[in-house]
Amino acid sequence: MKKLVVFYSFEGNTKYIAEGIAKEMGADLLELKPLREPKKGSFMKYVWGGREVMTKKEPEIESIDKNPDDYDLIYMGTPVWAWTYAPAFRTFLSKVNIKNKNIALFCCHGGGKGKIFERFKEDLGENKYLGQIDFQDPLKNNREKDLEEAKKWAREIEKSI
Ligand SMILES: Cc1cc2nc3c(=O)[nH]c(=O)nc-3n(C[C@H](O)[C@H](O)[C@H](O)COP(=O)(O)O)c2cc1C
């Protein structure tokens, strides 16, 4: 079974989980990389990122070198921005056609994930959703425990197919 982990990460938390899952599952990795981003750590990130979400912006991203259609199972990971998925995924969804796929969703957040999974699924459309999991800033909190939990979850997702 061919597996892909697609993720965006601004400050490393989602990347940490994505890389752990990819390694555990022998999956390919696709990182969505916007061409422009604010300085990491600055308060401006909230203003800038919040505006991108509210205006439903599709930020330009580096070219995508994996075709989701080639995969049987796709894990997708995003940080929560303004209670939904990060804008880089909006761009991604406008560029690729993801239909009738096995999909599992994960996210990292600071404590308020809102309705991220509902919104993400709504915009992803007709697919088979196998599961979802969230982590609260794993790099600051439960780094090791969260990674183990993510790997276990990823294995269970595969078994469920
Ligand atoms: C623009 C912006 C908006 C955010 N909005 C939320 C939010 O609505 N709820 C929340 O719990 N955390 C929010 N956060 C915090 C991140 O989701 C959280 O720190 C996450 O772990 C970051 O993942 P990353 O390191 O992969 O970028 C926001 C962060 C940014 C930069």
Side-chain angles (χ1 to χ4, degrees):
M1 181 183 302
K2 277 196 83 182
K3 289 151 274 182
L4 177 67
V5 179
V6 186
F7 74 98
Y8 166 71
S9 182
F10 180 55
E11 290 179 305
N13 291 276
T14 316
K15 186 181 178 94
Y16 170 70
I17 299 291
E19 288 179 345
I21 291 176
K23 198 164 168 211
E24 178 74 9
M25 303 307 298
D28 288 343
L29 259 183
L30 170 58
E31 179 171 7
L32 306 180
K33 294 185 181 162
L35 301 188
R36 282 173 295 280
E37 292 191 307
K39 243 175 75 192
K40 309 222 188 271
S42 73
F43 183 74
M44 269 310 288
K45 67 187 179 186
Y46 295 112
V47 178
W48 169 87
R51 192 189 304 131
E52 284 211 337
V53 172
M54 298 308 168
T55 58
K56 295 191 183 291
K57 189 158 182 199
E58 292 178 13
E60 262 187 275
I61 60 173
E62 285 183 15
S63 63
I64 296 165
D65 63 353
K66 308 265 183 324
N67 181 358
D69 238 7
D70 296 340
Y71 295 87
D72 309 299
L73 168 59
I74 307 174
Y75 299 92
M76 288 192 199
T78 175
V80 174
W81 278 18
W83 308 285
T84 188
Y85 59 88
F89 265 103
R90 192 174 288 285
T91 313
F92 178 67
L93 297 187
S94 75
K95 288 182 185 288
V96 297
N97 186 27
I98 298 183
K99 283 284 162 292
N100 304 317
K101 286 279 171 195
N102 291 313
I103 291 188
L105 302 174
F106 62 98
C107 74
C108 294
H109 57 82
K113 67 181 158 67
K115 291 195 183 301
I116 180 169
F117 291 126
E118 288 87 337
R119 290 180 175 182
F120 209 176
K121 285 184 218 170
E122 216 172 275
D123 289 353
L124 271 157
E126 235 170 86
N127 291 287
K128 192 168 173 199
Y129 297 100
L130 303 171
Q132 59 202 36
I133 193 167
D134 67 282
F135 302 95
Q136 186 168 350
D137 288 329
L139 294 180
K140 267 199 254 163
N141 298 310
N142 301 301
R143 182 186 274 255
E144 298 304 329
K145 186 173 155 279
D146 285 351
L147 190 60
E148 284 316 307
E149 202 183 323
K151 290 181 190 172
K152 183 167 169 264
W153 170 79
R155 286 194 303 271
E156 280 165 7
I157 293 286
E158 184 181 36
K159 272 194 230 144
S160 76
I161 296 177

